[in-house]
Amino acid sequence: MKKLLNIGFSLFVFGGFLVSCKADDYGTVQSIDKIKIDSVQLVNDTMNVLGIQRIKTYSTYQSQCQGFYGYDYVYDTDFNRTVTAYKFITNEPCAQANYAGTNQINFNPQKRGTYTLKFWSGGNNWITKTIVVE
């Protein structure tokens, strides 16, 4: 009998937990799309090999239903990189007002040399940054 009460109580608590968690606390992601990078901020244009530099990118989102999804970071050659940012768009009701978002990519070069990083800024436009790795 005691075992049956314990099982019943456990099911009651578990059921309460499931009911308290709403499935739609967050909107469903409807799509993923490129978002242009408005500007790029480097900490230093010279760094040590195997070091890590946090590079900040800034983009403008058209509503609170949009946000940063991720980067496409492509090694074109040993020393050339292209970076494209992506945004998500949800289906939730939200304000239609522009807001600026800041994101970060960690640059961790493995070889000495001069690296060229190109950040997509819309159309055929790129923001180009150069980092010398010693």
Side-chain angles (χ1 to χ4, degrees), residues 56-118:
K56 290 187 179 180
T57 64
Y58 301 88
S59 298
T60 303
Y61 299 89
Q62 296 173 349
S63 78
Q64 296 295 323
C65 289
Q66 300 178 1
F68 179 72
Y69 182 77
Y71 291 110
D72 187 11
Y73 185 83
V74 178
Y75 292 71
D76 293 338
T77 65
D78 281 348
F79 299 103
N80 292 331
R81 309 286 188 265
T82 58
V83 180
T84 305
Y86 287 86
K87 65 180 176 180
F88 65 83
I89 302 169
T90 66
N91 65 348
E92 62 190 38
C94 54
Q96 297 297 313
N98 288 350
Y99 77 95
T102 304
N103 297 291
Q104 175 179 296
I105 190 165
N106 293 329
F107 179 62
N108 179 229
Q110 303 297 305
K111 295 180 180 179
R112 287 178 173 83
T114 302
Y115 288 79
T116 302
L117 291 88
K118 293 183 176 184

Side-chain angles (χ1 to χ4, degrees), residues 37-55:
I37 296 172
D38 299 324
S39 64
V40 177
Q41 179 186 11
L42 296 179
V43 176
N44 295 307
D45 58 1
T46 304
M47 62 182 289
N48 293 324
V49 70
L50 302 178
I52 297 175
Q53 181 168 175
R54 288 159 183 79
I55 301 171

Side-chain angles (χ1 to χ4, degrees), residues 34-38 83-84 119-127:
K34 286 183 181 181
I35 185 163
K36 71 178 194 157
I37 296 172
D38 299 324
V83 180
T84 305
F119 299 84
W120 186 75
S121 61
N124 291 325
N125 301 314
W126 298 85
I127 297 170

